[in-house]
Amino acid sequence: MDRTYSDAVKALNSLQSNASVVNAIRMSGGKMNTQAIPEMIEWCRKIGYEPSDFNRLNAIHIAGTKGKGSTSAFISSILAQYLPSRIEAAQPGMLHKIGLYTSPHLRFVRERIQIDNAPLSEAAFASYFFQTWDRLEASAAAAGEPTNPCAKPVYFRFLTLMALHTYMNERVETAVVECGIGGEYDSTNILLRPTVTGITSLGIDHTAVLGNTIEEIAWHKAGIMKKGSVCYTVPQPEAALAVLRERAKERGSELRVVAERHPQIVSGDVVLGLAADFQKTNASLAVEIAAEHLRVLGYKGLDVKAKLPAEFVRGLEQVKWGGRCETRLEGPIGWHLDGGHTLESITVAEEWYAECVLASHTSSPENPSQETTPSSSPTATPTPPRILLFNQQTRAGLPLLRTLHTLLSTHLQSAHPFSHVIFCSNVTFADSGFRPDLVSVNVSAEELQDLRVQKELARGWEGIDGTGGEVFIVRTIEDAVEKARQIARTWVAGDGRRGGTAAEGEVKVLVTGSVHLVGGVLEVLAAEE
């Protein structure tokens, strides 16, 4: 086997996918879940580590249903302001190198393993990937076990092992680690002594693994709490909060609720680098977690209650986290991208998109399919098309569509919130198929070929929306992007020439339902730049 980045991605894709693990747990009635941590510890030993070795990473462990990735990014961005290149006077426990481990990725799998807020280079990813791979093969061979991919940990577990191995070798002194699914039995929960833990907003998701009630989900998320480490959380449903309090007591962890958003964030004195109102909650949680971490490392006199230190302000304002309430402008099109894929996250995506529409929409928000035609008044500014680009390949997509339609119809005062709706698979390109980093092996080739899910979603949307807008089914993300561009070109050639300001004339495309879809759209846009 060659040892390039492409070879590493190909080998990684040969491992069983996360979706397959979830399905196996579903079939086993959840019993397999309880073995996750003992198995992960054994995998660690096979590559030469004991869980206690990772204590030197000074890990910050983050769980939750919504916002755990954004919160982790805020924390990492804040702490990066304390690197030697950013501050003049050394302090005890000064940070020198910060790791950030998150999932899923948008365009490149190496995005998941970052150092000082930059993804590993292709060369570094390949090097650490094959070091981990080779150690597993050597261990298997020494034990007389098979060395094929089936004998290796699954995709997410492998990447977790690789991330920890990378951070140990790179001498990372702080690692912000986001859970994959849950907490109690998540592969990342081999961290024994985090400096601080955090639990973001809770909701119903991954029910096959975590349970169907908010109490069950809270129990799993609270599994990251550790004795002697403070756990911060945000306001939660009372039933969930009761479970978190009980679990904190059992585990010897102090639970602190960040009950209010930080006043500087609320007032707008601090302009967050991530859009949407809900990010103010995530940012306020991140402030408390980052401050606690710095105090544990020995920083003195750190007070973030009244006024945020300049380093915290810079970190909050400079944070980057793509594909979450992100806008990309391309000629007359505003690509509004959010990977919301649960009822809770699709709700916040809708709120953000509605704010964007209303902020630039000066005419009466009637049926957009009517607004795209010239107004009878020669001075009226016609309203541009609003386009939904959607896919959800592995979950129930129809409830997401129904929620999106209901909320957006209310906010825009329109029975038909989109003039055009495009459904596509997560296949990236028309000619070459999936980009290697975006390969998904948990969907059957037959299902993709028949566009079975997309046809079901289209029928469901027509039942929800009636005949208010045009619905298209296309095979790939590249095809979907081109369809949106065609609609925009038609608009510009006709009514768009009468438009008012650039904002009023923007064709707003909401891309949502799947992080994989958003990543694919970003890949297509980048490939054509």
Side-chain angles (χ1 to χ4, degrees):
M1 181 187 296
D2 292 329
R3 297 296 173 114
T4 67
Y5 175 71
S6 295
D7 297 318
V9 172
K10 183 178 179 180
L12 178 63
N13 287 338
S14 72
L15 304 179
Q16 186 182 0
S17 68
N18 290 343
S20 297
V21 176
V22 171
N23 187 58
I25 294 171
R26 184 184 296 113
M27 298 299 291
S28 70
K31 296 178 182 178
M32 184 176 126
N33 221 356
T34 59
Q35 299 304 310
I37 299 305
E39 290 172 2
M40 192 64 184
I41 291 173
E42 187 59 30
W43 289 120
C44 286
R45 289 170 176 160
K46 288 182 177 181
I47 64 170
Y49 298 103
E50 290 291 334
S52 58
D53 294 336
F54 304 130
N55 290 345
R56 85 174 209 207
L57 297 179
N58 295 309
I60 300 171
H61 206 182
I62 306 297
T65 306
K66 297 180 297 180
K68 56 193 172 85
S70 300
T71 300
S72 298
F74 275 124
I75 295 167
S76 184
S77 183
I78 291 169
L79 296 179
Q81 310 309 313
Y82 288 85
L83 292 169
S85 60
R86 303 291 183 90
I87 57 177
E88 296 179 359
Q91 293 194 45
M94 175 186 282
L95 303 179
H96 291 280
K97 200 173 279 191
I98 301 165
L100 175 62
Y101 178 59
T102 60
S103 62
H105 59 278
L106 281 174
R107 295 178 57 204
F108 309 105
V109 67
R110 56 192 178 87
E111 296 167 16
R112 297 182 181 225
I113 305 175
Q114 300 192 21
I115 295 178
D116 294 344
N117 294 318
L120 290 183
S121 67
E122 291 189 357
F125 185 95
S127 176
Y128 286 120
F129 177 91
F130 284 112
Q131 287 177 30
T132 307
W133 186 276
D134 290 347
R135 289 188 183 195
L136 290 169
E137 294 215 328
S139 176
E145 300 170 352
T147 59
N148 57 47
C150 293
K152 293 184 175 62
V154 295
Y155 191 101
F156 182 76
R157 287 187 184 182
F158 186 97
L159 284 172
T160 302
L161 286 173
M162 177 186 160
L164 294 171
H165 172 62
T166 300
Y167 294 153
M168 294 293 284
N169 279 267
E170 290 286 334
R171 300 189 180 280
V172 162
E173 295 168 331
T174 286
V176 184
V177 178
E178 177 196 356
C179 283
I181 296 176
E184 178 74 24
Y185 303 121
D186 187 72
S187 300
T188 63
N189 205 27
I190 53 171
L191 300 170
L192 301 178
R193 203 170 65 197
T195 60
V196 57
T197 61
I199 298 175
T200 63
S201 298
L202 298 179
I204 305 298
D205 194 21
H206 299 296
T207 55
V209 181
L210 306 181
N212 295 301
T213 68
I214 196 69
E215 293 91 341
E216 290 174 297
I217 289 170
W219 185 90
H220 278 277
K221 304 295 184 181
I224 67 168
M225 295 176 177
K226 299 294 189 297
K227 184 177 181 178
S229 297
V230 175
C231 178
Y232 287 88
T233 191
V234 296
Q236 307 283 6
E238 188 53 44
L241 197 55
V243 173
L244 295 183
R245 289 183 177 125
E246 183 61 29
R247 291 277 273 162
K249 183 178 179 181
E250 292 171 356
R251 289 177 164 262
S253 175
E254 180 186 353
L255 180 67
R256 299 178 186 172
V257 180
V258 184
E260 296 180 353
R261 296 171 171 184
H262 195 281
Q264 283 180 266
I265 295 173
V266 173
S267 68
D269 289 347
V270 176
V271 181
L272 299 180
L274 303 182
D277 181 73
F278 70 90
Q279 293 291 7
K280 295 177 182 179
T281 297
N282 295 333
S284 299
L285 177 61
V287 164
E288 295 294 342
I289 292 172
E292 179 68 19
H293 177 74
L294 290 171
R295 285 192 287 265
V296 171
L297 293 187
Y299 282 77
K300 305 297 183 182
L302 192 61
D303 181 13
V304 297
K305 296 296 184 184
K307 185 176 180 180
L308 293 173
E311 292 86 355
F312 277 64
V313 173
R314 285 200 306 270
L316 293 171
E317 294 187 337
Q318 295 176 7
V319 65
K320 305 293 183 185
W321 195 240
R324 284 78 171 178
C325 296
E326 178 183 4
T327 302
R328 296 284 186 98
L329 299 179
E330 180 193 56
I333 299 178
W335 298 97
H336 297 264
L337 305 123
D338 188 90
H341 54 274
T342 67
L343 290 175
E344 290 83 4
S345 58
I346 209 76
T347 297
V348 296
E350 180 279 330
E351 291 174 354
W352 166 69
Y353 180 73
E355 289 173 3
C356 294
V357 171
L358 294 173
S360 62
H361 188 29
T362 57
S363 61
S364 175
E366 300 295 336
N367 183 340
S369 63
Q370 296 175 356
E371 291 174 337
T372 57
T373 60
S375 169
S376 58
S377 169
T379 59
T381 300
T383 301
R386 292 194 291 266
I387 304 171
L388 172 64
L389 202 169
F390 185 92
N391 190 42
Q392 178 42 254
Q393 199 73 38
T394 59
R395 303 167 186 246
L398 193 55
L400 303 181
L401 288 173
R402 187 176 294 110
T403 298
L404 178 62
H405 186 278
T406 299
L407 295 174
L408 199 55
S409 294
T410 300
H411 285 140
L412 302 185
Q413 301 176 35
S414 171
H416 308 291
F418 294 102
S419 58
H420 304 79
V421 180
I422 306 168
F423 296 102
C424 67
S425 72
N426 285 342
V427 176
T428 320
F429 296 108
D431 292 334
S432 55
F434 284 107
R435 174 187 168 83
D437 293 73
L438 301 176
V439 164
S440 177
V441 299
N442 54 42
V443 179
S444 72
E446 180 182 339
E447 183 176 290
L448 284 177
Q449 181 63 31
D450 295 342
L451 295 176
R452 193 176 306 158
V453 170
Q454 289 67 41
K455 291 173 182 176
E456 291 174 357
L457 291 172
R459 285 193 296 270
W461 178 264
E462 289 169 348
I464 295 168
D465 191 63
T467 58
E470 293 186 74
V471 176
F472 304 92
I473 300 172
V474 297
R475 187 163 299 281
T476 70
I477 294 173
E478 184 179 28
D479 294 330
V481 168
E482 179 54 31
K483 175 59 70 175
R485 287 170 172 163
Q486 288 175 4
I487 295 167
R489 286 195 294 267
T490 300
W491 153 254
V492 170
D495 289 341
R497 291 178 297 179
R498 299 170 52 210
T501 66
E504 291 169 350
E506 179 187 296
V507 177
K508 290 181 168 58
V509 183
L510 175 61
V511 182
T512 193
S514 163
V515 174
H516 302 290
L517 172 66
V518 169
V521 169
L522 289 172
E523 178 63 22
V524 171
L525 295 179
E528 297 179 0
E529 288 178 354

Short mmCIF file of all heavy atoms in Angstrom, two decimals, residues 16 27 34 37 68 81 93 109-110 152 162 167 185 225 263 373 408 426 463 487 512 524:
data_model
loop_
_atom_site.label_atom_id
_atom_site.label_comp_id
_atom_site.label_asym_id
_atom_site.label_seq_id
_atom_site.Cartn_x
_atom_site.Cartn_y
_atom_site.Cartn_z
N GLN A 16 -15.59 -0.04 8.70
CA GLN A 16 -17.04 0.02 8.88
C GLN A 16 -17.46 1.42 9.28
O GLN A 16 -16.82 2.07 10.10
CB GLN A 16 -17.46 -0.98 9.97
CG GLN A 16 -18.94 -1.12 10.16
CD GLN A 16 -19.29 -2.08 11.28
OE1 GLN A 16 -18.40 -2.64 11.90
NE2 GLN A 16 -20.55 -2.29 11.53
N MET A 27 -29.96 -3.42 16.21
CA MET A 27 -30.31 -4.83 16.08
C MET A 27 -30.04 -5.61 17.36
O MET A 27 -30.70 -6.61 17.65
CB MET A 27 -29.53 -5.46 14.92
CG MET A 27 -29.84 -4.83 13.55
SD MET A 27 -31.58 -5.02 13.07
CE MET A 27 -31.62 -6.80 12.80
N THR A 34 -22.59 -1.13 25.78
CA THR A 34 -21.89 -1.22 27.05
C THR A 34 -20.46 -1.71 26.90
O THR A 34 -19.65 -1.56 27.82
CB THR A 34 -22.64 -2.14 28.02
OG1 THR A 34 -22.74 -3.44 27.44
CG2 THR A 34 -24.05 -1.61 28.29
N ILE A 37 -16.44 1.12 25.76
CA ILE A 37 -15.26 1.65 26.46
C ILE A 37 -14.20 0.57 26.70
O ILE A 37 -13.01 0.80 26.43
CB ILE A 37 -15.67 2.35 27.76
CG1 ILE A 37 -16.60 3.53 27.45
CG2 ILE A 37 -14.44 2.85 28.52
CD1 ILE A 37 -16.05 4.54 26.47
N LYS A 68 -22.50 21.33 20.08
CA LYS A 68 -21.24 20.90 20.70
C LYS A 68 -20.03 21.20 19.82
O LYS A 68 -18.97 21.54 20.33
CB LYS A 68 -21.28 19.42 21.10
CG LYS A 68 -21.61 18.43 20.02
CD LYS A 68 -21.92 17.05 20.65
CE LYS A 68 -22.45 16.07 19.61
NZ LYS A 68 -21.43 15.38 18.86
N GLN A 81 -5.82 32.38 21.74
CA GLN A 81 -5.33 33.73 22.01
C GLN A 81 -4.29 33.75 23.12
O GLN A 81 -3.63 34.77 23.35
CB GLN A 81 -6.50 34.65 22.38
CG GLN A 81 -7.68 34.60 21.44
CD GLN A 81 -7.30 34.80 19.98
OE1 GLN A 81 -6.54 35.71 19.66
NE2 GLN A 81 -7.83 33.95 19.11
N GLY A 93 1.67 27.47 33.29
CA GLY A 93 0.75 26.67 32.49
C GLY A 93 0.44 27.27 31.14
O GLY A 93 -0.57 26.93 30.54
N VAL A 109 -11.52 15.01 5.55
CA VAL A 109 -11.55 14.29 6.82
C VAL A 109 -10.50 14.83 7.78
O VAL A 109 -10.66 14.77 9.01
CB VAL A 109 -11.35 12.78 6.57
CG1 VAL A 109 -9.96 12.47 6.05
CG2 VAL A 109 -11.64 11.98 7.84
N ARG A 110 -9.44 15.43 7.26
CA ARG A 110 -8.40 15.96 8.14
C ARG A 110 -8.87 17.18 8.94
O ARG A 110 -8.20 17.60 9.88
CB ARG A 110 -7.14 16.29 7.35
CG ARG A 110 -7.32 17.23 6.19
CD ARG A 110 -6.09 17.28 5.28
NE ARG A 110 -6.30 18.17 4.15
CZ ARG A 110 -6.04 19.46 4.17
NH1 ARG A 110 -5.54 20.00 5.26
NH2 ARG A 110 -6.26 20.21 3.10
N LYS A 152 -9.95 -4.22 12.42
CA LYS A 152 -9.57 -2.91 12.95
C LYS A 152 -10.80 -2.19 13.52
O LYS A 152 -11.93 -2.56 13.21
CB LYS A 152 -8.92 -2.07 11.86
CG LYS A 152 -7.58 -2.62 11.40
CD LYS A 152 -6.92 -1.70 10.39
CE LYS A 152 -5.53 -2.21 10.04
NZ LYS A 152 -5.55 -3.55 9.41
N MET A 162 -6.40 7.77 16.31
CA MET A 162 -5.42 8.53 15.53
C MET A 162 -5.26 9.94 16.08
O MET A 162 -4.13 10.46 16.17
CB MET A 162 -5.85 8.57 14.07
CG MET A 162 -4.92 9.38 13.18
SD MET A 162 -5.59 9.52 11.52
CE MET A 162 -4.65 10.95 10.94
N TYR A 167 -1.95 13.92 18.88
CA TYR A 167 -1.76 14.94 19.91
C TYR A 167 -0.64 14.57 20.87
O TYR A 167 0.10 15.45 21.33
CB TYR A 167 -3.07 15.17 20.66
CG TYR A 167 -4.18 15.77 19.81
CD1 TYR A 167 -5.51 15.55 20.10
CD2 TYR A 167 -3.88 16.55 18.69
CE1 TYR A 167 -6.53 16.09 19.32
CE2 TYR A 167 -4.87 17.09 17.90
CZ TYR A 167 -6.20 16.86 18.22
OH TYR A 167 -7.19 17.40 17.44
N TYR A 185 -20.86 5.95 26.67
CA TYR A 185 -20.22 4.88 25.91
C TYR A 185 -19.56 5.38 24.63
O TYR A 185 -19.23 4.59 23.74
CB TYR A 185 -21.25 3.79 25.57
CG TYR A 185 -21.93 3.21 26.78
CD1 TYR A 185 -23.30 3.27 26.94
CD2 TYR A 185 -21.18 2.60 27.79
CE1 TYR A 185 -23.93 2.74 28.05
CE2 TYR A 185 -21.79 2.08 28.91
CZ TYR A 185 -23.17 2.14 29.04
OH TYR A 185 -23.78 1.61 30.16
N MET A 225 -18.92 13.37 32.68
CA MET A 225 -18.55 13.99 33.96
C MET A 225 -17.50 13.14 34.67
O MET A 225 -17.59 11.92 34.69
CB MET A 225 -19.78 14.14 34.86
CG MET A 225 -20.84 15.09 34.34
SD MET A 225 -22.29 15.09 35.45
CE MET A 225 -23.33 16.31 34.65
N PRO A 263 -23.42 39.31 29.20
CA PRO A 263 -23.98 40.61 28.81
C PRO A 263 -23.30 41.26 27.61
O PRO A 263 -23.97 41.92 26.80
CB PRO A 263 -23.82 41.46 30.08
CG PRO A 263 -22.87 40.71 30.96
CD PRO A 263 -23.03 39.28 30.62
N THR A 373 -42.73 36.84 -10.38
CA THR A 373 -43.24 37.41 -11.63
C THR A 373 -43.30 38.91 -11.48
O THR A 373 -43.43 39.45 -10.38
CB THR A 373 -44.65 36.87 -11.93
OG1 THR A 373 -45.52 37.23 -10.86
CG2 THR A 373 -44.61 35.36 -12.06
N LEU A 408 -41.25 28.29 8.81
CA LEU A 408 -40.92 29.32 7.83
C LEU A 408 -42.18 29.97 7.27
O LEU A 408 -42.20 31.19 7.00
CB LEU A 408 -40.06 28.73 6.71
CG LEU A 408 -39.26 29.72 5.86
CD1 LEU A 408 -38.37 30.59 6.73
CD2 LEU A 408 -38.41 28.97 4.84
N ASN A 426 -26.38 12.59 -1.77
CA ASN A 426 -25.13 13.18 -1.27
C ASN A 426 -23.94 12.87 -2.16
O ASN A 426 -22.80 13.18 -1.79
CB ASN A 426 -24.85 12.71 0.15
CG ASN A 426 -25.74 13.38 1.18
OD1 ASN A 426 -26.34 14.42 0.90
ND2 ASN A 426 -25.85 12.78 2.36
N GLY A 463 -47.04 16.97 -0.54
CA GLY A 463 -48.17 16.80 0.36
C GLY A 463 -48.24 17.90 1.40
O GLY A 463 -49.33 18.29 1.84
N ILE A 487 -32.03 28.62 -12.09
CA ILE A 487 -33.18 29.39 -11.59
C ILE A 487 -32.77 30.84 -11.37
O ILE A 487 -33.51 31.78 -11.73
CB ILE A 487 -33.70 28.76 -10.28
CG1 ILE A 487 -34.26 27.36 -10.56
CG2 ILE A 487 -34.76 29.65 -9.64
CD1 ILE A 487 -34.51 26.55 -9.30
N THR A 512 -29.75 22.57 3.58
CA THR A 512 -29.85 22.02 4.92
C THR A 512 -30.34 20.58 4.88
O THR A 512 -30.66 20.04 3.83
CB THR A 512 -30.79 22.89 5.78
OG1 THR A 512 -30.64 22.53 7.16
CG2 THR A 512 -32.24 22.73 5.37
N VAL A 524 -18.34 21.52 -4.28
CA VAL A 524 -18.69 21.89 -5.66
C VAL A 524 -18.38 23.36 -5.91
O VAL A 524 -17.80 23.71 -6.95
CB VAL A 524 -20.17 21.58 -5.93
CG1 VAL A 524 -20.59 22.17 -7.29
CG2 VAL A 524 -20.42 20.08 -5.93
#
